[in-house]
């Protein structure tokens, strides 16, 4: 096996060098010549690399043996190499392959390590504040009752009550613990809206890890309060010209330069395997709790689950537990921005096409030349041109349904939830609430709908104030 | 002695905010305790509801009798002095007149007396009402997110460890994780539910920085009650975003232009409204201050903090906390944590007030350190007053501690020596704000930072293994801009 990999790797490297010289003479100047490669344990250690090329798919993913355990995962679409049907995979340069393999090994270890699980459970309970309640929204339910007094029952999964104000902390604390376990001293992350950055900074502060967060300059302007929070928590916020996609490319670039000492903390269910699976596992606590709480409250399962979809972490964390329960409807709501036809939206599953982005194959918003389209949404956390490969798979096989909500509908939903329930949802989560307007009239009496309130929107009041231009 | 008079419509009574010092002649006698059934949520109360006992002050005049407050308070008969029991900690908290020793009471005009007795009876009735208790605990669990964790702050404890490896263990009671981000919601929910039971459809409140206003508007949205929040016009300008939030929640925010257009003027306006609309309206007071039964009621709604702490401490280390630390503005979060443990003599209770620019600067809010006894907002307590009995404008970097008075029960606990009260400056609080953010990834409210700052003085001398529980009463997202300005991070 080692011999084969070695040959394979060397072969690939030659192709790599040739292609870059042909396509981009300027970039090839920065690449080292073949003689500076050292082959260690069948994987090259390159002294420098240009990640933007690395993230453009050049090498094919490695075929791995499918073990018995992984064959069981076929029903969820997951097979060896982190593939969900044709989606997912590991479209990364060779330098990262070992790293990802190590990460996967560590992840498998912690999944079965009772000490780690006990420590994580305690952190989730005492630090993050789990379990989050499953709250019956009486006034919202009444709002959707028809003239006969019939309608669905609306429950809200309160991820807004987590420490940090969103579901992002579930993943951040678990991965920070893994980083510590692996002996890393520093953590890198990239963030769009800032929620993941804040969660990472908090988790690193708690575990005394050095934290560096990369954020696009346009995002930093819009989310200045999150930047302040990260600074207060002791993280260094490095500005990157552009927005989230540029920030994450830069973050990976810098990470590759210090693979032994630093850990790249992914915030969401995208990226090369094992990142999507890892993040999903850590977020799946949401769905697991919902199952237990639904059983306690009404002795059954939810009928419909609704969640907003940016890259998909809160949706997957919510849905994953129920994917095999065919009688539970799974609904994801993406951001339609100014409207699907305006060109200014972030509705990847509605309008995207299949391609490879950030190391995985999935739907993504690209134009006819394969250039990434810039997404827009009033919910900044939904502004991601890609989406989780697993969600792409669930869409294709019809297990989950995906719809969209415009900025206007999201803001209306925000105001509605404040007025009726005294809860400020994050503008991202407001998209899920917005879809209830279309969904509820179609549901039979007594249907139990659970909406994932993935974050709190106390801060978003400023944005809504600016948009509305007047106090409501 | 200067008095402030507020003209209100019929009946013609004046609300008297008396800032006098020499009020010893207003002490009333203490009745012997009476037992009531042991409620589920609330501890045994030492007195029966007013329907069964006349607990009005000796000089009560029948309704309709016109009177100027200054003479009401200048009692014609001199009451008997307070009879103190041999063991101070067994004193009734409060007694049948709503007094904690000599503090507390009901210094209000006659129009409000009935509303206050009605509130008191309703409160006692609901204390034994299983359905009410069940509804309240359901809402606290599903809406507020209780129970809040008792979190072991490992890095903070390490920070206080001495070179020889010994040190105390610091735990944080995470009230910052509650819905709306502070402990305030515990009381707002309880009072809103109580108001609903009383058939009141209208809720009023006053607010300074907006926190209590937002908490009140939140619960009113949840229960579908009409909500009016009084806010000083100056405060409204400074807190435009909080005004917007309250409006989003469906509340009406009424500006107050009188006086200095700040919190104390908003309070007076709110009380004026309540006196006028007492039949249909409930006044949600945000802290353990004000006339009886508010100090007791607010304390009882917050007592869940202390009850959970006892259970969690037993679970975690099989014992009780050794020391409880909490910040004190009006005193609600501190009372909520302390109340459960007041009877446990081996638990030290420490309240931390705001020393602002320093106790000697004159710009602080350290009522228990530098105040003198007087009557404010209907209760006798310590308050910051000058020689003429004028209220001294308090100062603290944290809006929630910026109150010239303090809950009467705190005044009582201080006087009998059951609790200790210290203070920390703005600067020390900011340092603690930064320290806890960096060490634990928890950004505490600036109010809470005062309690956390006191650990610097407390922890170095504690015996090894002492368990200190600090009430993390709120999260600091709202304070980020203030802190950054001062810390220049």
């Amino acid at each position: 096996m080692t011999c084969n990999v070695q040959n394979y790797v060397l072969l690939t490297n030659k192709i790599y060098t040739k292609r870059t010289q042909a396509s981009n003479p300027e970039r090839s100047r920065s690449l080292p010549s073949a003689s500076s490669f050292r082959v260690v344990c069948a994987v090259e250690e390159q002294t420098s690399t240009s990640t933007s090329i690395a993230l453009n798919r050049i090498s094919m993913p490695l075929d791995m043996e499918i073990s018995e355990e992984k064959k069981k995962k076929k029903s969820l679409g997951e097979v060896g190499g982190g593939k969900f049907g044709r989606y997912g995979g590991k479209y990364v340069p060779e330098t990262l392959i070992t790293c990802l393999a190590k990460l996967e090994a560590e992840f498998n270890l912690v999944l079965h390590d009772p000490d780690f699980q006990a420590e994580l459970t305690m952190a989730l309970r005492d630090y993050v504040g789990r379990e989050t309640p499953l709250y019956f929204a009486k006034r919202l339910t009444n709002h959707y009752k028809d003239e006969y007094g019939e309608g669905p029952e609306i429950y809200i999964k309160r991820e807004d009550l987590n420490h940090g104000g969103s579901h992002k902390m579930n993943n951040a604390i678990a991965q920070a613990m893994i980083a510590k376990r692996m002996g890393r001293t520093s953590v890198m992350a990239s963030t769009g809206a800032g929620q993941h950055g804040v969660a990472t900074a908090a988790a690193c502060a708690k575990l005394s890890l050095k934290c560096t967060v990369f954020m696009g300059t346009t995002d930093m302007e819009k989310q200045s309060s999150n930047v302040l929070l990260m600074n207060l928590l002791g993280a260094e916020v490095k500005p990157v010209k552009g927005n989230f996609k540029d920030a994450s490319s830069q973050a990976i670039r810098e990470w590759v330069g210090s693979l032994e000492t630093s850990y790249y903390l992914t915030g969401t269910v995208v990226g090369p395997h094992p990142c999507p699976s890892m993040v999903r596992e850590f977020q799946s606590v949401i769905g697991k709790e919902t199952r237990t709480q639904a059983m306690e409250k009404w002795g059954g399962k939810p009928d419909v689950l609704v969640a907003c979809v940016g890259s998909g972490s809160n949706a997957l964390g919510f849905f994953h537990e129920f994917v095999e329960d065919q009688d539970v409807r799974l609904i994801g709501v993406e951001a339609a921005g100014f409207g699907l036809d305006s060109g200014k939206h972030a509705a990847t599953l509605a309008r995207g096409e299949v391609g490879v982005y950030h190391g995985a194959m999935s739907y993504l918003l690209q134009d006819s030349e394969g250039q990434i389209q810039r997404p827009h949404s009033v919910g900044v956390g939904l502004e991601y041109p890609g989406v989780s490969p697993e969600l792409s798979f669930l869409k294709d096989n019809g297990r989950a349904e995906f719809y969209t909500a415009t900025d206007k509908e999201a803001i209306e939903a925000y105001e509605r939830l404040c007025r009726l329930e005294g809860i400020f949802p994050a503008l991202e989560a407001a998209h899920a609430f917005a879809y209830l307007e279309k969904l509820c009239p179609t549901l039979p009496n007594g249907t139990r709908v659970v909406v994932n309130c993935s974050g709190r929107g106390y801060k978003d009041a400023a944005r809504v104030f600016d948009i509305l231009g007047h106090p409501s | 002695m200067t008095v402030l008079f507020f003209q209100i419509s019929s009946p013609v009574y004046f609300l008297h905010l008396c800032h006098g010092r020499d009020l010893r002649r207003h002490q009333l006698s203490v009745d012997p305790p009476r037992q009531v059934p042991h409620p589920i949520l609330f501890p045994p109360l030492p007195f029966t509801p007013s329907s069964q006992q006349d607990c009005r002050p000796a000089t009560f005049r029948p309704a309709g009798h016109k009177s100027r407050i200054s003479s009401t308070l200048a009692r014609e008969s001199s009451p008997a002095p307070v009879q103190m029991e041999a063991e101070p900690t067994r004193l009734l908290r409060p007694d049948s007149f709503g007094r904690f020793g000599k503090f507390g009471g009901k210094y209000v005009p006659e129009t409000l007396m009935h509303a206050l007795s009605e509130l008191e009876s309703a409160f006692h009735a609901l204390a034994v009402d299983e359905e009410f208790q069940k509804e309240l605990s359901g809402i606290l669990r599903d809406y507020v997110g209780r129970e809040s964790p008792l979190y072991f702050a490992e890095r903070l404890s390490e920070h206080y460890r001495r070179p020889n490896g010994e040190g105390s263990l610091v735990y944080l009671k995470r009230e910052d994780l509650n819905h709306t981000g502070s402990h305030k919601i515990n009381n707002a929910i309880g009072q809103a539910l109580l108001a609903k039971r009383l058939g009141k459809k209208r809720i009023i409140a006053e607010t300074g920085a907006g926190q209590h206003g937002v908490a009140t508007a939140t619960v009113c949205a949840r229960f579908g009650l009409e909500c009016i929040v009084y806010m000083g016009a100056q405060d409204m300008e400074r807190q435009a975003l909080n005004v917007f939030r309250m409006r989003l929640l469906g509340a009406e925010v009424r500006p107050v232009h009188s006086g200095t257009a700040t919190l104390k003027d908003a309070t007076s306006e709110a009380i004026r409204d309540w006196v006028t609309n007492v039949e249909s309206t409930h006044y949600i007071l945000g802290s353990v201050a004000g006339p009886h039964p508010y100090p007791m009621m607010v304390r009882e709604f917050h007592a869940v903090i202390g009850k959970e702490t006892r259970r969690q401490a037993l679970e975690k280390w099989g014992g009780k906390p050794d020391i409880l630390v909490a910040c004190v503005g009006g005193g609600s979060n501190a009372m909520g944590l302390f109340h459960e443990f007041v009877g446990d003599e081996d638990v030290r209770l420490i309240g931390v007030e705001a020393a602002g620019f320093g106790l000697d600067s004159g710009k602080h809010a350290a009522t228990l350190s530098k105040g003198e006894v007087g009557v404010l907002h209907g209760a006798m307590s310590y308050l910051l007053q000058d020689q003429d009995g004028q209220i001294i404008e308090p100062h603290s970097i944290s809006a929630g501690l910026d109150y010239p008075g303090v809950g009467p029960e705190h005044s009582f606990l201080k006087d009998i020596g059951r609790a200790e009260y210290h203070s920390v400056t703005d600067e020390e609080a900011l340092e603690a704000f930064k320290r806890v953010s960096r060490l634990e990834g928890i950004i505490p409210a600036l109010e809470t930072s005062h309690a956390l700052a006191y650990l610097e003085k407390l922890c170095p001398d504690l015996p090894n293994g002492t368990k200190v529980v600090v009430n993390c009463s709120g999260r600091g997202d709202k304070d980020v801009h203030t802190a950054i300005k001062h810390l220049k991070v």
Side-chain angles (χ1 to χ4, degrees):
Chain A
M1 176 66 180
T2 314
C3 183
N4 288 340
V5 170
Q6 201 166 7
N7 291 340
Y8 178 78
V9 155
L10 283 171
L11 180 67
T12 316
N13 180 50
K14 285 194 183 124
I15 298 170
Y16 178 91
T17 319
K18 261 196 200 155
R19 274 198 195 168
T20 48
Q21 278 167 348
S23 63
N24 196 335
E26 197 181 352
R27 279 223 178 94
S28 66
R29 277 201 288 275
S30 64
L31 283 175
S33 62
S35 58
S36 69
F37 287 113
R38 276 186 308 126
V39 179
V40 176
C41 301
V43 175
E44 293 154 324
E45 276 186 87
Q46 291 179 268
T47 48
S48 74
T49 180
S50 175
T51 305
S52 52
I53 301 176
L55 286 175
N56 288 336
R57 178 194 150 203
I58 293 169
S59 55
M60 292 293 294
L62 296 174
D63 254 354
M64 284 159 64
E65 257 184 66
I66 301 177
S67 67
E68 276 307 315
E69 198 184 84
K70 283 171 185 172
K71 275 179 189 158
K72 277 186 208 157
K73 288 190 179 169
K74 266 197 177 159
S75 62
L76 293 174
E78 195 172 339
V79 293
K83 300 284 273 179
F84 303 91
R86 63 173 173 151
Y87 301 108
K90 264 190 202 180
Y91 296 84
V92 291
E94 313 310 333
T95 343
L96 291 182
I97 293 282
T98 322
C99 217
L100 292 173
K102 269 193 208 165
L103 188 56
E104 192 180 349
E106 196 65 40
F107 174 57
N108 284 324
L109 273 177
V110 304
L111 273 185
H112 301 103
D113 179 356
D115 288 335
F116 181 88
Q117 292 301 327
E119 203 186 325
L120 178 61
T121 308
M122 193 168 84
L124 287 174
R125 188 193 63 193
D126 288 351
Y127 185 66
V128 181
R130 297 210 77 90
E131 45 176 68
T132 53
L134 183 64
Y135 165 69
F136 174 53
K138 191 157 149 203
R139 289 192 79 202
L140 197 62
T141 300
N142 288 341
H143 172 78
Y144 290 118
K145 280 199 161 73
D146 62 17
E147 61 266 25
Y148 305 107
E150 292 190 348
E153 286 178 9
I154 316 285
Y155 291 81
I156 305 180
K157 183 61 174 154
R158 300 291 303 280
E159 290 297 299
D160 58 303
L161 292 176
N162 282 340
H163 180 53
S166 79
H167 69 291
K168 297 274 179 208
M169 186 60 84
N170 302 329
N171 168 59
I173 189 74
Q175 286 204 50
M177 283 170 64
I178 291 184
K180 231 184 148 146
R181 212 181 128 106
M182 288 170 87
R184 304 292 155 88
T185 50
S186 75
V187 166
M188 294 194 187
S190 55
T191 188
Q195 284 304 112
H196 173 58
V198 169
T200 308
C204 290
K206 175 180 168 16
L207 295 170
S208 53
L209 294 164
K210 180 169 173 302
C211 180
T212 313
V213 180
F214 294 83
M215 200 170 178
T217 41
T218 40
D219 289 333
M220 281 175 77
E221 270 168 39
K222 282 193 275 189
Q223 304 287 326
S224 53
S225 41
N226 274 341
V227 177
L228 290 178
L229 285 174
M230 284 185 265
N231 284 326
L232 267 171
L233 290 164
E236 186 193 345
V237 183
K238 284 197 174 164
V240 177
K241 195 160 184 301
N243 63 4
F244 177 53
K245 59 179 177 59
D246 310 289
S248 45
S249 304
Q250 180 65 17
I252 295 173
R253 205 172 287 143
E254 294 215 12
W255 173 48
V256 166
S258 54
L259 286 171
E260 293 303 309
T261 51
S262 62
Y263 180 94
Y264 181 63
L265 215 157
T266 35
T268 188
V269 282
V270 295
H273 180 69
C275 300
S277 303
M278 230 171 54
V279 176
R280 181 204 68 207
E281 277 307 317
F282 293 133
Q283 292 291 1
S284 65
V285 64
I286 306 174
K288 289 185 180 114
E289 284 179 7
T290 306
R291 189 190 279 283
T292 324
Q293 290 163 329
M295 188 56 73
E296 241 175 59
K297 279 189 161 17
W298 63 81
K301 289 183 287 197
D303 297 309
V304 187
L305 300 181
V306 187
C308 64
V309 174
S311 33
S313 60
N314 94 85
L316 264 181
F318 197 31
F319 295 170
H320 183 65
E321 177 68 15
F322 296 96
V323 167
E324 305 221 302
D325 294 83
Q326 295 293 336
D327 49 347
V328 178
R329 250 177 100 182
L330 309 176
I331 296 181
V333 187
E334 291 187 300
F338 293 142
L340 286 180
D341 299 319
S342 69
K344 293 230 171 269
H345 60 80
T348 315
L349 290 163
R351 287 293 161 104
E353 290 178 32
V354 180
V356 172
Y357 186 58
H358 283 161
M361 183 176 290
S362 190
Y363 278 95
L364 67 121
L365 289 172
Q366 51 182 321
D367 64 19
S368 50
E369 285 160 18
Q371 294 297 328
I372 301 291
Q373 281 180 320
R374 197 138 168 203
H376 161 80
S377 171
V378 73
V380 181
L382 302 182
E383 274 181 339
Y384 185 66
V387 76
S388 152
E390 193 169 350
L391 285 180
S392 299
F393 175 70
L394 292 176
K395 172 189 153 87
D396 272 10
N397 74 3
R399 178 64 190 94
E401 312 157 44
F402 295 93
Y403 304 102
T404 59
T406 59
D407 284 356
K408 188 161 173 289
E409 289 166 340
I411 291 178
E412 272 165 20
Y414 179 92
E415 286 182 294
R416 191 179 314 120
L417 202 65
C418 288
R419 201 184 64 240
L420 292 179
E421 293 290 346
I423 299 174
F424 287 92
L427 281 171
E428 293 82 2
H431 286 75
F433 287 102
Y435 187 66
L436 292 178
E437 293 284 291
K438 297 189 182 124
L439 173 70
C440 292
T442 66
L443 294 175
N445 187 33
T447 313
R448 293 188 177 93
V449 182
V450 183
V451 186
N452 196 12
C453 188
S454 52
R456 63 175 180 248
Y458 196 71
K459 275 196 290 291
D460 291 329
R463 192 90 201 274
V464 174
F465 184 86
D466 288 336
I467 291 172
L468 291 179
H470 61 82
S472 67
Chain B
M1 188 164 79
T2 314
V3 302
L4 291 172
F5 290 99
F6 294 91
Q7 187 94 24
I8 45 181
S9 55
S10 68
V12 183
Y13 289 126
F14 293 94
L15 180 65
H16 179 202
L17 297 177
C18 171
H19 311 315
R21 278 186 287 168
D22 185 17
L23 294 166
R24 279 184 292 274
R25 58 206 164 108
H26 300 159
Q27 288 158 356
L28 299 168
S29 61
V30 174
D31 275 350
R34 289 213 209 168
Q35 292 302 312
V36 293
H38 194 348
I40 296 161
L41 199 60
F42 305 111
L45 296 158
F47 52 90
T48 49
S50 57
S51 55
Q52 292 163 36
Q53 177 202 321
D54 184 2
C55 62
R56 295 169 301 179
T59 54
F60 175 77
R61 294 193 178 83
H65 178 98
K66 290 183 186 163
S67 143
R68 279 187 312 116
I69 298 294
S70 52
S71 61
T72 307
L73 284 174
R75 305 227 183 274
E76 270 116 27
S77 57
S78 53
V82 176
Q83 279 139 20
M84 305 286 281
E85 285 191 26
E87 288 186 41
T89 50
R90 289 244 194 91
L91 266 178
L92 306 168
R93 296 186 300 116
D95 65 13
S96 51
F97 293 104
R99 291 190 171 275
F100 304 89
K102 65 172 176 177
F103 302 104
K106 275 187 198 180
Y107 295 86
V108 292
E110 312 309 335
T111 347
L112 292 181
M113 290 300 285
H114 174 72
L116 291 174
S117 327
E118 189 191 36
L119 205 53
E120 195 182 337
S121 323
F123 180 74
H124 292 323
L126 291 174
V128 295
D129 183 340
E130 267 196 50
E131 216 186 284
F132 178 85
Q133 296 304 328
K134 207 164 145 218
E135 197 185 346
L136 180 60
S137 46
I139 297 172
L140 287 175
R141 188 194 60 205
D142 287 349
Y143 187 67
V144 177
R146 297 211 75 91
E147 45 179 66
S148 55
L150 184 63
Y151 166 71
F152 174 51
E154 199 180 330
R155 288 193 75 197
L156 200 59
S157 304
E158 213 181 283
H159 172 78
Y160 292 119
R161 198 158 295 151
R162 297 184 276 272
N164 62 1
E166 296 188 343
S168 49
L169 301 169
V170 179
Y171 291 80
L172 299 178
K173 181 60 175 155
R174 301 291 301 280
E175 292 297 300
D176 60 302
L177 291 175
N178 289 344
H179 182 48
T180 68
S182 82
H183 68 292
K184 294 218 175 278
I185 190 123
N186 300 327
N187 169 57
I189 287 276
Q191 288 205 43
L193 216 60
L194 179 64
K196 265 199 111 168
R197 282 300 187 107
L198 283 171
K200 312 266 173 159
K201 299 253 180 323
R202 202 171 163 267
I203 302 285
I204 57 174
E206 86 294 335
T207 191
Q211 289 305 112
H212 174 59
V214 171
T216 308
T218 300
V219 305
C220 290
R222 164 72 180 70
F223 291 113
L225 296 163
E226 186 191 343
C227 180
I228 291 134
V229 179
Y230 287 93
M231 197 171 180
Q234 257 213 47
D235 284 335
M236 279 179 76
E237 266 176 45
R238 292 188 283 211
Q239 302 285 336
L241 197 53
N242 270 341
V243 175
F244 180 58
R245 287 188 180 112
M246 286 185 265
R247 288 183 173 147
L248 273 175
L249 291 162
E252 182 192 337
V253 185
R254 286 194 190 160
V256 176
H257 297 280
S258 52
T260 52
T262 52
L263 176 60
K264 57 176 177 53
D265 310 285
T267 312
S268 310
E269 194 64 41
I271 295 174
R272 200 171 296 149
D273 180 317
W274 193 31
V275 168
T276 318
N277 300 298
V278 89
E279 299 300 315
S280 61
T281 306
H282 176 68
Y283 178 30
I284 292 193
L285 240 168
S287 195
V288 284
H292 180 70
Y294 279 103
M296 176 196 70
M297 235 170 50
V298 175
R299 176 196 75 196
E300 290 304 331
F301 286 131
H302 281 305
V304 62
I305 306 175
K307 290 187 177 104
E308 284 178 5
T309 305
R310 187 189 279 284
R311 204 176 40 242
Q312 290 162 329
L314 205 61
E315 235 178 66
K316 281 191 162 6
W317 64 80
K320 290 184 285 197
D322 298 308
I323 306 182
L324 301 177
V325 186
C327 63
V328 176
S332 59
N333 92 85
M335 251 2 275
L337 182 64
F338 293 174
H339 180 59
E340 176 71 14
F341 297 97
V342 167
D344 294 82
E345 290 292 335
D346 50 346
V347 179
R348 243 176 105 184
L349 309 177
I350 299 181
V352 186
E353 292 187 300
F357 293 143
L359 287 181
D360 300 319
S361 68
K363 294 239 170 264
H364 60 81
T367 316
L368 290 163
S369 306
K370 288 271 168 163
E372 293 183 36
V373 180
V375 172
L376 177 64
H377 293 152
M380 185 180 294
S381 192
Y382 279 97
L383 61 120
L384 292 173
Q385 53 181 315
D386 63 19
Q387 285 174 330
D388 299 322
Q390 295 293 335
I391 296 286
I392 298 176
E393 196 73 41
H395 162 81
S396 169
I397 194 173
S398 61
L401 302 185
D402 211 349
Y403 182 62
V406 75
E409 195 166 358
H410 282 293
S411 302
F412 173 65
L413 292 176
K414 172 188 154 90
D415 269 16
I416 61 171
R418 178 63 190 94
E420 318 157 32
Y421 295 90
H422 306 276
S423 60
V424 312
T425 60
D426 285 354
E427 216 179 286
E428 290 167 329
L430 282 165
E431 282 304 314
F433 181 90
K434 197 166 118 185
R435 187 182 317 121
V436 177
S437 302
R438 293 276 163 98
L439 289 179
E440 293 292 344
I442 298 172
I443 302 182
L446 279 174
E447 291 81 1
T448 310
S449 305
H450 286 72
L452 293 163
Y454 188 68
L455 294 177
E456 293 283 292
K457 296 183 187 134
L458 174 71
C459 291
D461 301 319
L462 290 176
N464 188 32
T466 312
K467 303 198 177 56
V468 183
V469 175
V470 184
N471 201 10
C472 191
S473 54
R475 63 173 184 251
D477 297 36
K478 60 181 177 67
D479 297 317
V480 164
H481 293 275
T482 313
I484 293 285
K485 212 165 53 180
H486 287 88
L487 290 173
K488 295 186 185 46
V489 164

